[in-house]
Amino acid sequence: MTGAKTLQNAITEAVREWDTVPLKAVSEVYPSNVDKKSSDNEDSVRLCNYTDVYYNEEIADDIEFMEATTTEAKANRFRLREGDILITKDSESKDDIGIPAYVPTDFDDVVCGYHLFLIRPDKSSISPRFLFNCLRSRLLQTQFENLANGVTRYGITTGDTKNVTIPLPNEGFQDQIIDFLSDGETSLNRAKSGFEDISKLLYSKRQATIRQSVTTGVRDDHTLTDVEASWIGEVPEHWDVVRTRFVAELHSGHTPDRSNDEYWEDTDIPWVTTSDIKPFREGRKRYLHETENQISELGMENSGAHLLPEGTVFLSRTASVGFSGIMGKPMATSQDFANWVCGDEILPEYLLYVFRSMDQEFDRLMQGSTHKTIYMPDIKSFKTPLPPLDEQREIVEHIETETARLWELIDRVEETINLLEEKRQALITAAVTGQIDMSEAKGVSKSTI
């Protein structure tokens, strides 16, 4: 049996008591072609983009939409109306395709942007809220994942999107399901929100532990003194506060000329780029042992890139700004990094935690509107609190012990959050596929449905 037939049999079995129809039978489906470019001879609009949909279940006016322009015809076609549903149509991961967001009100100037489908339900055939719940369900998400095509980036065609199968109970049943899910999700969301607040507190505690440890130390028998460096505040009297480049040699990186094919043959030198940053965003990972990209000896010799020793502390300074790690073996980097080869007076692990306590300082120094950067003159002016080496070791050990405990608590809390989200997803899927008896769930006689 083919995969398509297996999936269709599963859909038929899941909603065996109801009709099922293709999405196109109950709605219009439009792939947006409104891009982010602006032109003087077009109408000004606000653009609802991929991330606005991906991170929001409802499209509200308090979202900071991007300013753009488009033609009058496109503005009229893709302007958001009450009851519209937007879904993502391509991504680097199959399970990020078909993520929906509901439009609860008409917008005067907000239009659906590129990389999205605009779904406009026929309200005489289906409730927009019911269709939104269908699109959120595992039933539809599985269909989107199975229909997605691609290698490094996946997408779903307009034709396949129009033909995904939708459960279609009668209007009364749709209304009952909407009410049931509204009540059920309220309770689950309240519980989930409580655990998310706990998770935020634990992350804040972790950050405070790092910052306090590298500024005031972990011993109780010393006197503190104020320093002028704005982010540091105060340090023990017997510590120094120095320019970071006085205790760690500062290096930048570079990218070999991409137009020269010879520079990109026989690549075997680990080369740190922004694609390696993702595992370091959370702050749990410390060492980088393998890179996604490599460069060749010839490419390195004919560029500003150079091999840095194991133990070098790297800090991202463009695009993903302020994330740091330690090289687990000799590596080169792109120009997106500032790299610090530690001298005898400072431990790489201690310097790493100094950088990880400087988030507010990085925010202050970043420049640029869409492409954030910390420029090298500002990086050269970085200051570092510098305790004796034995205290640096104590500080690193203290941070690692305390943060390990906090990570364990964070893991437990986030496991609970994930379980609540799974329960919410299961509730939605069961409701829209007829697996929950609404007469029992809501005290309604089946004869009235």
Side-chain angles (χ1 to χ4, degrees):
M1 183 178 289
T2 66
K5 287 183 179 179
T6 301
L7 178 59
Q8 186 57 52
N9 290 345
I11 295 167
T12 302
E13 175 65 19
V15 293
R16 57 190 177 275
E17 295 183 3
W18 297 344
D19 290 334
T20 58
V21 297
L23 179 60
K24 65 184 178 183
V26 293
S27 63
E28 297 293 332
V29 179
Y30 304 112
S32 175
N33 56 359
V34 181
D35 59 33
K36 298 179 180 180
K37 298 177 183 178
S38 293
S39 175
D40 292 338
N41 60 353
E42 293 181 338
D43 296 341
S44 296
V45 295
R46 291 184 295 162
L47 208 56
C48 182
N49 285 317
Y50 184 100
T51 53
D52 300 323
V53 171
Y54 189 87
Y55 292 109
N56 297 281
E57 286 204 337
E58 286 200 351
I59 303 301
D61 197 46
D62 59 359
I63 295 174
E64 294 185 8
F65 298 109
M66 178 183 179
E67 300 288 337
T69 67
T70 191
T71 64
E72 182 179 0
K74 289 182 181 179
N76 290 333
R77 184 175 192 183
F78 293 106
R79 183 175 291 112
L80 302 190
R81 305 176 190 172
E82 184 274 326
D84 284 348
I85 303 165
L86 309 180
I87 65 170
T88 56
K89 72 181 181 72
D90 50 55
S91 179
E92 295 176 357
S93 174
K94 284 186 175 184
D95 57 9
D96 284 340
I97 293 173
I99 304 298
Y102 185 78
V103 181
T105 187
D106 290 338
F107 285 88
D108 292 331
D109 63 343
V110 180
V111 300
C112 173
Y114 202 58
H115 299 298
L116 299 170
F117 282 116
L118 170 63
I119 298 173
R120 185 155 288 157
D122 176 2
K123 295 179 182 178
S124 65
S125 302
I126 194 168
S127 163
R129 283 283 185 185
F130 176 77
L131 179 56
F132 172 63
N133 284 316
C134 288
L135 290 165
R136 290 197 297 165
S137 73
R138 202 54 220 154
L139 178 69
L140 268 295
Q141 290 300 305
T142 299
Q143 292 184 66
F144 287 129
E145 288 178 29
N146 278 276
L147 292 167
N149 292 307
V151 180
T152 58
R153 188 169 184 85
Y154 300 92
I156 186 169
T157 67
T158 304
D160 283 341
T161 302
K162 289 182 177 181
N163 284 303
V164 293
T165 303
I166 303 292
L168 190 63
N170 64 44
E171 183 178 351
F173 221 143
Q174 292 179 35
D175 292 340
Q176 295 296 332
I177 290 169
I178 294 167
D179 291 342
F180 169 76
L181 286 177
S182 178
D183 292 342
E185 284 193 90
T186 296
S187 299
L188 288 171
N189 288 340
R190 187 182 298 117
K192 183 180 174 184
S193 178
F195 281 103
E196 287 173 341
D197 289 341
I198 294 172
S199 181
K200 290 176 184 177
L201 287 172
L202 290 171
Y203 272 104
S204 296
K205 173 65 175 175
R206 170 191 155 276
Q207 187 64 18
T209 297
I210 296 173
R211 186 181 185 282
Q212 183 176 357
S213 298
V214 300
T215 54
T216 62
V218 296
R219 299 178 181 178
D220 297 327
D221 58 347
H222 49 232
T223 303
L224 301 178
T225 183
D226 291 335
V227 294
E228 294 182 2
S230 59
W231 76 270
I232 298 173
E234 55 184 11
V235 298
E237 283 184 327
H238 66 286
W239 288 17
D240 290 327
V241 176
V242 300
R243 298 275 186 190
T244 310
R245 59 190 173 91
F246 292 168
V247 292
E249 192 175 300
L250 175 60
H251 297 262
S252 185
H254 201 259
T255 300
D257 186 355
R258 296 222 181 245
S259 65
N260 192 325
D261 293 339
E262 290 185 340
Y263 294 169
W264 298 94
E265 296 172 354
D266 301 320
T267 57
D268 57 1
I269 298 172
W271 184 53
V272 187
T273 65
T274 53
S275 61
D276 296 301
I277 287 300
K278 187 175 181 180
F280 292 88
R281 286 179 175 273
E282 188 181 42
R284 191 179 311 213
K285 185 176 176 68
R286 293 190 300 160
Y287 297 97
L288 179 64
H289 296 284
E290 301 293 336
T291 59
E292 288 193 17
N293 299 279
Q294 293 80 38
I295 57 174
S296 67
E297 185 75 33
L298 183 63
M300 188 170 67
E301 290 175 355
N302 287 276
S303 73
H306 51 283
L307 198 63
L308 297 164
E310 176 183 342
T312 298
V313 182
F314 58 88
L315 174 72
S316 59
R317 68 180 190 90
T318 66
S320 299
V321 177
F323 299 103
S324 52
I326 300 173
M327 294 180 186
K329 60 184 180 182
M331 298 177 176
T333 78
S334 72
Q335 63 275 15
D336 299 305
F337 294 86
N339 307 295
W340 307 82
V341 179
C342 294
D344 294 337
E345 295 179 78
I346 192 166
L347 301 175
E349 290 80 6
Y350 174 76
L351 180 58
L352 175 73
Y353 286 124
V354 169
F355 288 148
R356 290 186 175 182
S357 66
M358 290 176 63
D359 50 331
Q360 293 182 358
E361 182 72 355
F362 295 151
D363 288 343
R364 185 182 72 84
L365 294 173
M366 280 191 292
Q367 299 182 45
S369 53
T370 57
H371 190 77
K372 300 291 186 181
T373 300
I374 299 180
Y375 291 101
M376 290 304 288
D378 287 324
I379 290 174
K380 288 179 180 179
S381 70
F382 282 180
K383 289 185 177 181
T384 294
L386 189 68
L389 282 173
D390 60 337
E391 282 193 62
Q392 291 182 37
R393 293 188 184 94
E394 290 177 9
I395 290 167
V396 170
E397 183 178 349
H398 172 78
I399 290 173
E400 291 174 358
T401 300
E402 290 300 305
T403 56
R405 182 179 63 83
L406 290 168
W407 281 125
E408 184 178 350
L409 293 172
I410 289 169
D411 286 343
R412 291 179 184 177
V413 170
E414 294 189 346
E415 182 180 347
T416 303
I417 292 171
N418 290 336
L419 288 172
L420 288 168
E421 180 58 30
E422 288 175 12
K423 186 172 183 179
R424 187 177 80 110
Q425 181 58 245
L427 184 73
I428 294 168
T429 301
V432 302
T433 56
Q435 307 305 303
I436 298 175
D437 189 337
M438 290 296 152
S439 65
E440 294 181 4
K442 297 287 290 181
V444 178
S445 170
K446 286 187 178 182
S447 64
T448 65
I449 297 176

